[in-house]
Amino acid sequence: MESTAQRRLKAIQGHLVPITHVLDSHVQTSLTASEFFHSQGYSVVLPEKLNTGKWNVYRSVRSPLKLISRFPEHPEIGTLHDNFMHAIEAFKDYNYLGTRVRGDGTVGEYKWMTYGEAGTVRLAIGSGLRHHGLLEGACIGLYFINRPEWLIVDHACSAYSYISVPLYDTLGPDAVKYIVNHADVQAIFCLPHTLNTLLSFLSEIPSVRLVVVVGGIDEHVPSLPSNSQVELISFAKLLSQGHSDLQPFCPPKPEDIATICYTSGTTGTPKGVVLTHGNLIATVAGASLTLKFCPSDIYISYLPLAHIYERANQVMMAYYGVAVGFYQGDNLKLMDDLAALRPTIFCSVPRVYNRIYSGIMNAVQTSGVLRKRLFNAVYNSKKQVIISGRNPSPMWDRLVFNKIKGMLGGRVHFMGSGASPLSPDVMDFLRVCFGCQVIEGYGMTETSCVISCMDKGDNLSGHVGSPNPACEIKLVDVPEMNYTSEDQPYPRGEICVRGPVLFQGYYKDEVQTKEVIDGDGWLHTGDIGLWLPGGRLKIIDRKKNIFKLAQGEYIAPEKIENVYAKCKFVSQCFIYGKADGIYLQIGPSPAKFSLLTA
């Protein structure tokens, strides 16, 4: 009698959707699946259920028969602790954490801590937390911006089975207080300037028993009232206490909670996304089939570590032994940090890339007629060569683009974009001007970051690539918005995700968890997508952000915002709806759309 797996394989073999109209790809199919898949597309299509006959589930061509949950080359890595231990063993003497900021606040050249040295400090910090009586499963708050201590504390949490809970200023004091109480945070690491905020509501967060000041000097750490149940110490003192009382690791299991990431809570109070060690390893392991780095690479960390985008990046950097240099903490000085660090890997968000694009184009427009013509001629020629899949001549870089490359230090060979859609024009511009691999990905906190990612060698812009090999994707009909799987020429619908990357639910909130995860285990993202040829996913709309007018017409505010955002006089705008109409806000005073009145 045939097994379920054998029947599934036969079904796949007999019903594979041929994709003959895509660009040639460098993607190689999985050896396991090579006899079943003959397409050169980026995704394969499978039936959601064998007995329905509906072929609507997309997986990566790199692993079509099994969703990735571990690194194929290192299946023994099942937790963040395992991942960092692997990094220490493989890259012990390689640079890991670098910073320009000195203890006295001055800025100089980057000074580095090796993977081995970071492991030693991690051991001491974790031992220090145990010294203060914190048991496994305790929630540890990180209330400061990117710097080496952030990752060291996070590694200590993983080694001793603590749960890290990122906190960040942009949420505001009320939200921070809510998160600390909601997650029952027992210890908080903060900077001197965030300590004052913390102390202002310390009596309102009764679960906290230890506050550690990072970058503070013992003499400058204020003393608390004698009747306070909270101990306030410096990071240096905790480090010393840990060194004097080293404790054995308490390694977590893959199913244990690694972190609770609170979202911004645009529809109410922040929601705590519960992610396990297995979730985070799966998402990075899947992405590692596409993204390859090495210990000679250098990454600059300035995207908020409180967000899943940067958290996942850091897991990957540790896996490959990449050196991580931190910015000073001031976005206005980021270009100075880039010049000093000269990274090879640069990940960012469309807002930053748009500024780079605007800055360069403005310089071209004011450079004079001859230089403008030269730039346009060389740019268009190189763009056509890249699109055709050929290698561009280095002469173009010497003529025009090397100076542009110098903006990011001159050595960047990989640029990544996420968090929101990147304009195809801007992506093409980055590929031409910086002469490196530029990819765009799509993800969310609830999927441990990566849902889909562009493949190496795919030169088509305007999409977010194929599914992460660690998850599968389907589009569900949204009839009220006229999006269906039968749409021509491309199927459209709400993007739904399933696989080992999926979060465990919203912390202490079963109701909202059930609202987004259905009975078959599919996460409903609320994003509307379509499948382009070759199995590439394109985000086209948002399900919930629509207004229904009195005459029954639906309006998507993002589409209106995008039109206004193209105006050079508009930096940001916001569309919102009220009972009497739809309003556009640019600056302090909103203006009502008379033609869109409800």
Side-chain angles (χ1 to χ4, degrees), residues 398-411:
R398 287 195 290 269
L399 278 173
V400 175
F401 300 117
N402 280 346
K403 187 175 180 180
I404 294 175
K405 292 180 182 180
M407 293 175 60
L408 300 182
R411 298 194 301 186

Side-chain angles (χ1 to χ4, degrees), residues 514-574:
K514 289 182 177 179
E515 288 179 1
V516 296
I517 300 181
D518 65 26
D520 292 323
W522 289 98
L523 170 71
H524 292 247
T525 66
D527 293 316
I528 304 295
L530 62 79
W531 289 113
L532 291 173
R536 303 170 174 102
L537 183 65
K538 180 181 177 69
I539 313 297
I540 59 171
D541 207 342
R542 180 77 186 151
K543 182 179 179 181
K544 292 183 179 179
N545 292 350
I546 57 174
F547 304 136
K548 186 176 182 180
L549 304 184
Q551 64 268 34
E553 183 181 355
Y554 287 94
I555 297 294
E558 285 98 338
K559 292 183 178 179
I560 303 173
E561 290 169 351
N562 290 336
V563 171
Y564 278 89
K566 291 179 180 178
C567 175
K568 65 180 181 179
F569 300 110
V570 177
S571 174
Q572 288 182 313
C573 64
F574 176 64

Side-chain angles (χ1 to χ4, degrees), residues 173-192:
D174 290 340
V176 170
K177 182 169 56 177
Y178 170 82
I179 292 171
V180 171
N181 286 325
H182 189 255
D184 298 312
V185 171
Q186 296 185 35
I188 298 178
F189 289 77
C190 67
L191 294 176

Side-chain angles (χ1 to χ4, degrees), residues 59-375:
R59 288 185 178 183
S60 169
V61 74
R62 295 177 183 275
S63 186
L65 304 182
K66 181 181 179 181
L67 296 179
I68 296 294
S69 60
R70 300 284 183 97
F71 294 100
E73 296 177 359
H74 292 280
E76 73 280 5
I77 298 176
T79 67
L80 298 181
H81 174 63
D82 295 337
N83 190 54
F84 191 54
M85 291 300 291
H86 153 77
I88 293 173
E89 293 169 7
F91 315 110
K92 181 178 180 180
D93 297 321
Y94 286 84
N95 287 342
Y96 179 32
L97 305 176
T99 180
R100 303 181 68 194
V101 181
R102 304 287 176 263
D104 59 1
T106 59
V107 176
E109 294 301 311
Y110 273 90
K111 299 294 183 183
W112 294 92
M113 178 186 294
T114 66
Y115 273 89
E117 291 167 343
T120 301
V121 179
R122 174 271 318 249
L123 171 64
I125 291 300
S127 297
L129 293 173
R130 291 299 291 251
H131 173 79
H132 283 273
L134 274 74
L135 303 178
E136 58 186 275
C139 287
I140 310 297
L142 293 90
Y143 191 24
F144 57 105
I145 61 172
N146 301 28
R147 50 188 291 160
E149 294 89 344
W150 207 107
L151 289 182
I152 288 172
V153 173
D154 198 38
H155 289 316
C157 288
S158 297
Y160 289 88
S161 292
Y162 297 131
I163 300 170
S164 64
V165 181
L167 307 166
Y168 43 109
D169 288 331
T170 53
L171 289 181
D174 290 340
V176 170
K177 182 169 56 177
Y178 170 82
I179 292 171
V180 171
N181 286 325
H182 189 255
D184 298 312
V185 171
Q186 296 185 35
I188 298 178
F189 289 77
C190 67
L191 294 176
H193 73 269
T194 53
L195 176 62
N196 292 332
T197 302
L198 198 60
L199 293 178
S200 68
F201 55 80
L202 193 61
S203 61
E204 301 174 64
I205 45 177
S207 62
V208 176
R209 51 196 287 191
L210 177 68
V211 175
V212 183
V213 183
V214 177
I217 303 172
D218 286 334
E219 293 76 19
H220 296 164
V221 174
S223 57
L224 298 178
S226 56
N227 61 348
S228 174
Q229 301 297 313
V230 180
E231 187 170 0
L232 181 59
I233 62 173
S234 68
F235 187 86
K237 185 173 181 179
L238 182 68
L239 186 65
S240 176
Q241 291 172 340
H243 273 306
S244 302
D245 185 21
L246 293 178
Q247 300 289 317
F249 293 139
C250 181
K253 298 184 288 294
E255 61 269 23
D256 289 341
I257 299 173
T259 187
I260 303 176
C261 293
Y262 280 81
T263 62
S264 56
T266 53
T267 57
T269 55
K271 295 179 292 187
V273 177
V274 179
L275 299 175
T276 65
H277 288 267
N279 289 149
L280 291 164
I281 292 299
T283 196
V284 176
S288 72
L289 270 64
T290 302
L291 307 178
K292 307 291 183 182
F293 304 111
C294 62
S296 61
D297 279 317
I298 301 173
Y299 174 86
I300 184 163
S301 177
Y302 70 97
L303 296 171
L305 274 162
H307 295 166
I308 195 62
Y309 183 11
E310 182 69 1
R311 290 288 291 281
N313 286 347
Q314 292 300 337
V315 177
M316 180 164 284
M317 295 306 113
Y319 175 72
Y320 284 118
V322 174
V324 178
F326 291 85
Y327 79 137
Q328 297 176 50
D330 185 348
N331 287 329
L332 297 178
K333 297 178 181 178
L334 179 60
M335 301 309 292
D336 185 41
D337 295 332
L338 287 164
L341 183 63
R342 302 189 66 214
T344 60
I345 304 168
F346 183 77
C347 291
S348 194
V349 294
R351 189 173 181 183
V352 173
Y353 287 131
N354 290 342
R355 288 178 178 175
I356 293 174
Y357 172 82
S358 298
I360 295 173
M361 291 308 297
N362 288 338
V364 169
Q365 294 299 325
T366 58
S367 63
V369 176
L370 291 179
R371 289 186 177 181
K372 180 180 176 180
R373 286 181 178 176
L374 174 63
F375 178 88

